[in-house]
């Protein structure tokens, strides 16, 4: 039965999962009113910039993350997209406590984990796990797959007593569609997609409630990527997991996310349900991102209105005043340099009940059709 | 023809046995033409490119047979010195990860300038001026002021453009770009690809673009070669392959693409696992995963059949595949 394990996993779940995903429709309705499992408020991370070799003097700071807020509910997927260097990975590392924020709160079930320590922190950490971006370098080449996946049990022995571990690890391999007989193999004996599954199995080992996945499929080809995404989808419905899914591929993010947050230079530009963001974006940066997505169909390409952004992302050590996007925004006006636009429903849409009614940090928010519906 | 790879075979001698990474690759690129190479992770795209560039790890790698004709001379027959000269001046490679392929302790100006002092015998001062000119050309703002900065002081997109500047410095006739935009987000991706396409046109270079991104391919490529288990399984002009793939693997690949305007169904994924290169299945390497496989597929290696004047497919049932769309 294990011979064609992956194939089986995909095929068997097919009809069922597809139907479920369709009915899930994944709009806010499914999660509205539900208590968030994670509340992130005004999260900030500044890295000091120093000068001098012997005597280090702080001359400034890289404002990697500069005031990010969002909620995450049980069973929900929040996608985070944004330009390279905008602070996505930094947010991820703070969520799983690999890094302490400079300021702000991360509340897990109402309790701020940024000030926790000792036993309380350890207990929380167990419930928020990370899957890393790079399946090639994030696995220790000298450890067997069994050791890699079982490693979290060394830190949390209460989850699996020593005698049970081998069995647990084999179960995990089975869950992610890998042959349990592979337990003694080394990472280099697996393909990219298989290694990514190993990373996911490891993320699941402690039965967390939240998985923060930092670009889990970016290095994979589309077919392997599809396998991994389907797996994540299946695991979510099976274990009611919450995901924070970071990626720069907007199509894949749409596929997996209930809500999507768009980051720019350390801040959230816009956040909303997939329909709000993909079909009714009101922030110029989101519109530019959407318009730049390459379409894998030469004929559909010509139908699109592509917005090419001029210039480069400014340095996070010295972000522009007011709206951070203004140096590349074709709509920028004087007000944009003076006033920081807050992340809220823009005034023009406040009375509206349609999908344009969602948080967008722009003084001149408006809709613009960038992705014409396919026929 | 600028470059013609003929029946190339590359193997790796590992502890577990011989991994047959490239098993008879044929492709060609003309001046001013862009060939996109697609295919599964581990299918031999980068190894083929490394063999062409002459930067393959040998050992454990070994080119066991084949020809690599560059402007009609077989690179595999050249001596070390001649080979190096062609690699340095006539062809260039852009790697996926710009940060790790740039030297962190040299300023970008020194790294670009070095190309001119070493290969063109320029003075350091002239080389620096050249570096600024090139940085301008790839649209690094304030190039003059930034020429002395180090790689980590540039953003990902800028570093990638610096790599492009270096690849273009000596105006090579062939560029191989191995996933030049995978690490970049879409806005920067678009900038980098547009730039590459523009410079290619200007210099009439041949470009081999290795990528996972079928959207990028649709944008810039003239023709496509799809690899599976170390072989080319399909070649085609870009537009035709999207309309009607002639190989079941290509078809599966195209079906797996998530689309921005579609959502809510499970993504299509090709079932099963990529082949183990130590034990490639007999017959068609794709047969354990192929929905169209018949008995003959398990015994006979499908030849690269001529589908039309410009298209080829290594499938016993390419006609049926074309029809069954
Ligand atoms: N340890 C550090 N010290 C100084 N600066 C840092 C450090 N880590 C990250 N940065 C800076 O913080 C900013 C955000 O980095 P981060 O890795 O979070 O970006 P990202 O959105 O994940 O980008 P990518 O898409 O390229 O992965 C960048 O400008 C980066 O250079
Ligand atoms: N130095 C090496 N030693 C042993 N095997 C190798 C070596 N380099 C590459 N290989 C193997 O050769 C095969 C082809 O690798 P290659 O890097 O060409 O794949 P690729 O098509 O570029 O994949 P990707 O899309 O993941 O970059 C792989 O199975 C790889 O494991
Ligand atoms: S606030 Fe101004 S600069 Fe910022 S996105 Fe809106 S229009 Fe552009
Ligand atoms: S030769 Fe047979 S197994 Fe191979 S791709 Fe064609 S139909 Fe499938
Ligand atoms: Mg990152
Ligand atoms: Mg490669």
């Amino acid at each position: 039965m294990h011979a064609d394990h992956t194939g089986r996993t995909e095929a068997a779940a097919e009809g069922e999962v597809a139907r479920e995903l369709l009915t899930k429709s994944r709009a806010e309705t499914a999660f509205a009113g539900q208590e968030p499992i994670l509340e992130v408020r005004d999260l900030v991370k500044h890295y000091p910039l120093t000068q001098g070799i012997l005597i280090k003097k702080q001359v400034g700071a890289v404002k990697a993350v500069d005031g990010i807020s969002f909620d995450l509910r049980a069973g929900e997927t929040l996608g985070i997209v944004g330009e390279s260097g905008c602070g996505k990975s930094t947010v991820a590392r703070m969520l799983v406590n690999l890094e302490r924020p400079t300021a702000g709160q991360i509340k897990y079930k109402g309790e701020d984990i940024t000030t926790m320590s000792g036993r309380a922190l350890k207990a929380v950490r167990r419930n928020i796990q990370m899957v890393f971006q790079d399946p090639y370098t994030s696995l220790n080449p000298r450890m067997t797959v069994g050791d890699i996946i079982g490693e979290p049990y060394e830190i949390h022995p209460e989850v699996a007593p020593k005698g049970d571990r081998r069995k647990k690890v084999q179960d995990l391999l089975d869950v992610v569609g890998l042959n349990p007989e592979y337990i003694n193999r080394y990472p280099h004996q697996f393909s990219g997609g298989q290694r990514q599954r190993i990373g996911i199995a490891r993320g699941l080992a402690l039965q967390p409630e939240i998985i923060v996945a930092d670009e889990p499929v970016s290095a994979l080809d589309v077919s392997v990527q599809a396998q991994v995404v389907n797996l994540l989808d299946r695991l979510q419905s099976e274990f009611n997991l919450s995901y924070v899914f970071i990626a720069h591929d907007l199509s894949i993010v749409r596929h997996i996310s209930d809500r999507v947050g768009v980051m720019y230079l350390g801040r959230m530009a816009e956040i909303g349900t997939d329909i709000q963001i993909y079909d009714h974006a009101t922030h110029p940066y989101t519109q530019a991102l959407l318009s730049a997505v390459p379409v894998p169909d030469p004929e559909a390409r010509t139908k699109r209105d592509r917005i090419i952004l001029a210039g480069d992302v400014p340095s996070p050590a010295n972000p522009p005043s007011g709206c951070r996007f203004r140096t590349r925004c074709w709509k920028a006006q004087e007000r944009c340099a003076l006033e920081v636009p807050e992340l809220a429903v823009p005034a023009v849409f406040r009375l509206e009940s349609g999908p344009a009614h969602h948080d967008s940090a722009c003084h001149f928010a408006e809709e613009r059709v960038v992705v014409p519906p396919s026929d | 023809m600028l470059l013609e790879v003929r029946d190339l075979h590359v193997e790796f001698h590992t502890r577990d046995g011989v991994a047959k990474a490239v098993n008879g690759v044929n492709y060609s690129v003309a001046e001013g033409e862009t060939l996109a190479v697609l295919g599964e992770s581990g299918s031999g795209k980068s190894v083929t490119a490394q063999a062409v560039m002459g930067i393959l790890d040998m050992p454990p790698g070994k080119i066991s047979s084949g020809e690599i004709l560059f402007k009609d001379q077989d690179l595999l027959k050249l001596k070390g010195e001649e080979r190096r000269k062609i690699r340095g001046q006539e062809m260039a490679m852009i790697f996926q990860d710009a940060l790790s392929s740039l030297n962190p302790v040299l300023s970008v100006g020194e790294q670009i300038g070095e190309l001119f002092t070493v290969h063109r015998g320029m003075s350091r001062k002239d080389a620096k001026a050249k570096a600024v000119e090139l940085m301008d050309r790839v649209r690094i703002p304030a190039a003059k002021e930034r020429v002395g900065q180090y790689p980590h002081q540039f953003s990902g997109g800028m570093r990638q453009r610096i790599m492009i500047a270096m690849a273009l410095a000596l105006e090579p006739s062939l560029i191989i770009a191995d996933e030049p935009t995978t690490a970049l987000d879409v806005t920067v991706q678009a900038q980098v690809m547009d730039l590459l396409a523009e410079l290619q046109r200007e210099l009439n270079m041949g470009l081999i673009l290795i990528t996972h991104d079928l959207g990028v391919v649709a944008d810039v490529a003239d023709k496509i070669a799809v690899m599976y288990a170390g072989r080319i399984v399909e070649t085609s002009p870009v537009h035709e392959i999207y309309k009607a793939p002639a190989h079941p693997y290509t078809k599966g690949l195209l079906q797996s693409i998530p689309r921005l305007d579609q959502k809510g169904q499970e993504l299509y994924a090709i079932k099963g696992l990529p082949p183990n290169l130590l034990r490639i299945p007999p017959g068609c390497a794709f047969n354990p995963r192929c929905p169209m496989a018949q008995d003959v597929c398990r015994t006979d290696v499908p030849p690269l059949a001529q589908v039309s004047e410009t298209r080829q497919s290594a499938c016993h049932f390419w006609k049926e595949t074309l029809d069954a769309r």
Side-chain angles (χ1 to χ4, degrees):
Chain A
M1 162 188 166
H2 285 131
D4 191 21
H5 210 87
T6 328
R8 179 192 67 91
T9 310
E10 251 81 56
E14 207 160 36
E16 216 174 295
V17 173
R19 230 170 299 123
E20 188 182 333
L21 287 182
L22 277 170
T23 47
K24 217 168 161 188
S25 163
R26 325 201 105 190
E28 55 200 332
T29 43
F31 300 97
Q34 199 181 315
E35 279 291 301
I37 184 166
L38 207 61
E39 291 164 87
V40 174
R41 292 292 172 270
D42 306 314
L43 201 60
V44 173
K45 181 73 194 183
H46 290 181
Y47 294 103
L49 269 176
T50 55
Q51 232 168 40
I53 294 166
L54 286 178
I55 304 157
K56 286 214 161 66
K57 191 173 77 185
Q58 186 170 345
V59 292
V62 176
K63 295 170 181 145
V65 174
D66 212 17
I68 293 273
S69 305
F70 61 81
D71 288 346
L72 181 72
R73 297 181 175 79
E76 184 187 41
T77 300
L78 173 70
I80 297 185
V81 297
E83 215 144 1
S84 171
C86 70
K88 304 179 297 291
S89 298
T90 308
V91 169
R93 288 195 301 271
M94 289 191 280
L95 293 181
V96 298
N97 231 292
L98 282 174
E99 209 149 11
R100 289 261 167 175
T102 308
Q105 294 180 318
I106 301 171
K107 284 194 192 161
Y108 166 75
K109 296 185 174 165
E111 277 189 85
D112 187 3
I113 65 172
T114 63
T115 53
M116 278 184 191
S117 58
R119 195 179 298 225
L121 179 61
K122 200 173 150 189
V124 171
R125 274 185 145 168
R126 189 192 135 181
N127 285 315
I128 312 177
Q129 290 290 313
M130 180 136 166
V131 174
F132 290 93
Q133 167 166 9
D134 185 354
Y136 298 91
T137 57
S138 59
L139 306 176
N140 184 338
R142 275 180 290 276
M143 283 166 75
T144 65
V145 165
D147 293 337
I148 290 172
I149 299 174
E151 200 182 26
Y153 297 136
E154 301 290 328
I155 307 157
H156 297 275
E158 72 282 4
V159 184
K162 259 217 155 74
D164 293 353
R165 282 185 202 167
R166 201 179 156 80
K167 174 82 179 54
K168 275 246 177 208
V169 169
Q170 285 181 323
D171 288 348
L172 283 166
L173 283 170
D174 191 58
V175 163
V176 299
L178 288 173
N179 192 330
E181 287 162 28
Y182 291 169
I183 189 163
N184 292 322
R185 289 199 182 185
Y186 290 89
H188 75 268
Q189 295 173 297
F190 293 89
S191 75
Q194 289 176 315
R195 285 186 235 195
Q196 199 55 270
R197 287 163 190 257
I198 296 168
I200 292 170
R202 185 189 152 99
L204 288 172
L206 299 173
Q207 297 152 22
E209 293 170 308
I210 300 170
I211 288 188
V212 179
D214 190 4
E215 312 235 14
V217 294
S218 303
L220 307 175
D221 68 86
V222 284
S223 172
V224 180
Q225 169 179 300
Q227 290 184 351
V228 173
V229 166
N230 289 342
L231 170 68
L232 287 171
D233 254 335
R234 183 168 61 79
L235 294 173
Q236 178 163 56
S237 20
E238 210 163 297
F239 301 110
N240 199 32
L241 290 169
S242 305
Y243 293 140
V244 175
F245 187 96
I246 297 170
H248 54 242
D249 179 341
L250 284 108
S251 315
I252 207 76
V253 168
R254 172 163 211 181
H255 195 89
I256 199 166
S257 304
D258 302 296
R259 281 185 311 131
V260 177
V262 181
M263 279 181 71
Y264 186 80
L265 211 58
R267 300 183 69 104
M268 202 67 97
E270 183 164 9
I271 187 166
T273 64
D274 84 88
I275 289 170
Q276 289 169 342
I277 298 297
Y278 284 84
D279 301 333
H280 301 275
T282 64
H283 196 288
Y285 177 60
T286 311
Q287 292 164 352
L289 270 186
L290 288 170
S291 84
V293 174
V295 178
D297 171 358
E299 272 156 30
R301 303 198 56 77
T302 45
K303 284 195 273 178
R304 301 214 311 171
D305 153 30
R306 191 153 158 213
I307 308 163
I308 305 254
L309 290 180
D312 268 296
V313 192
S315 158
N318 188 16
S321 66
C323 174
R324 295 192 171 194
F325 185 55
R326 73 176 163 83
T327 52
R328 300 170 78 198
C329 182
W330 63 95
K331 283 167 48 177
Q333 304 194 15
E334 207 183 331
R335 182 175 167 203
C336 304
L338 302 173
E339 253 179 78
V340 177
E342 70 171 316
L343 183 66
V345 179
V348 281
F349 299 121
R350 226 159 266 166
L351 295 175
E352 214 176 274
S353 58
H357 181 104
H358 63 269
D359 290 354
S360 173
C362 173
H363 296 307
F364 304 102
E366 62 184 340
E367 284 197 61
R368 168 175 179 153
V369 179
V370 277
V371 187
S374 64
D375 21 56
Chain B
M1 202 48 74
L2 179 63
L3 177 82
E4 213 174 331
V5 175
R6 285 194 191 153
D7 201 28
L8 187 73
H9 289 255
V10 180
E11 49 193 41
F12 288 97
H13 292 260
T14 69
R15 242 192 353 204
D16 305 330
V18 178
K20 298 197 163 154
V22 177
N23 303 301
V25 162
N26 294 283
Y27 62 52
S28 65
V29 196
E31 268 144 16
E33 189 178 47
T34 298
L35 165 74
V37 181
L38 292 171
E40 196 150 51
S41 198
S43 62
K45 304 182 294 291
S46 300
V47 167
T48 305
Q50 287 159 8
V52 171
M53 275 302 286
I55 54 169
L56 194 64
D57 265 341
M58 295 195 282
K62 183 175 168 236
I63 298 178
S64 43
S65 63
E67 290 174 284
I68 300 173
L69 300 177
F70 182 72
K71 297 186 174 168
D72 299 324
Q73 73 180 324
D74 187 352
L75 295 181
L76 298 177
K77 294 211 175 85
L78 292 185
K79 292 204 192 59
E81 186 52 35
E82 294 169 296
R83 185 75 209 263
R84 255 194 302 281
K85 209 159 157 192
I86 290 186
R87 182 198 315 153
Q89 314 205 16
E90 300 234 42
M91 35 171 93
M93 187 149 170
I94 299 166
F95 299 90
Q96 168 171 5
D97 182 356
L99 187 58
S100 60
S101 29
L102 290 168
N103 186 337
V105 299
L106 285 182
S107 74
V108 300
E110 285 170 307
Q111 295 186 54
I112 303 173
E114 202 171 56
L115 293 166
F116 293 99
T117 52
V118 172
H119 293 285
R120 295 277 188 270
M122 275 190 194
S123 72
R124 291 182 62 137
K125 186 157 160 268
D126 290 347
K128 186 173 167 187
K130 267 293 207 189
V132 173
E133 186 190 312
L134 274 167
M135 285 170 69
D136 257 340
R137 194 152 177 199
V138 295
R139 298 194 206 100
I140 304 280
K144 215 170 176 162
E145 285 79 59
R146 303 198 68 169
V147 67
Q149 291 189 328
Y150 293 87
H152 73 269
Q153 291 172 296
F154 293 88
S155 78
M158 287 167 134
R159 286 196 291 258
Q160 204 55 265
R161 276 178 282 163
I162 289 166
M163 281 290 296
I164 292 178
M166 291 179 65
L168 292 170
L170 303 174
E171 307 201 346
S173 37
L174 175 70
I175 291 212
I176 303 178
D178 194 351
E179 308 200 17
T181 59
T182 312
L184 305 175
D185 69 277
V186 287
T187 56
V188 184
Q189 222 175 55
Q191 278 182 1
V192 169
M193 286 315 305
D194 288 351
L195 177 69
L196 203 54
E198 187 189 314
L199 293 169
Q200 181 201 15
R201 238 176 331 219
E202 225 179 282
L203 299 173
N204 200 30
M205 299 178 303
L207 173 64
I208 298 178
L209 178 69
I210 300 173
T211 179
H212 287 318
D213 193 327
L214 290 132
V216 167
V217 170
D219 239 1
V220 300
D222 299 306
K223 57 184 191 185
I224 292 186
V226 182
M227 287 189 69
Y228 188 82
R231 278 192 85 192
I232 304 281
V233 294
E234 177 164 9
T235 59
S236 165
V238 166
H239 287 248
E240 295 173 27
I241 211 168
Y242 284 93
K243 265 197 234 135
H247 193 283
Y249 174 68
T250 316
K251 196 169 170 181
L253 207 59
L254 291 170
Q255 278 176 296
S256 309
I257 307 173
R259 300 204 31 166
L260 198 55
D261 52 5
Q262 287 168 5
K263 161 176 186 77
Q265 299 145 29
E266 190 177 13
L267 288 174
Y268 177 83
I270 299 171
K271 71 177 167 96
L273 301 176
N276 180 343
L277 296 178
L278 299 172
R279 269 178 278 122
I280 295 180
C284 173
F286 190 52
N287 85 66
R289 308 173 68 187
C290 181
M292 307 208 16
Q294 309 281 327
D295 284 344
V296 59
C297 305
R298 287 178 270 274
T299 52
D300 294 9
V301 177
L304 200 57
Q306 210 69 36
V307 172
S308 73
E309 211 169 299
T310 48
R311 299 188 67 177
Q312 296 171 306
S313 163
C315 172
H316 292 303
F317 300 101
W318 62 263
K319 278 202 194 81
E320 289 76 358
T321 310
L322 267 182
D323 293 343
R325 44 178 196 114

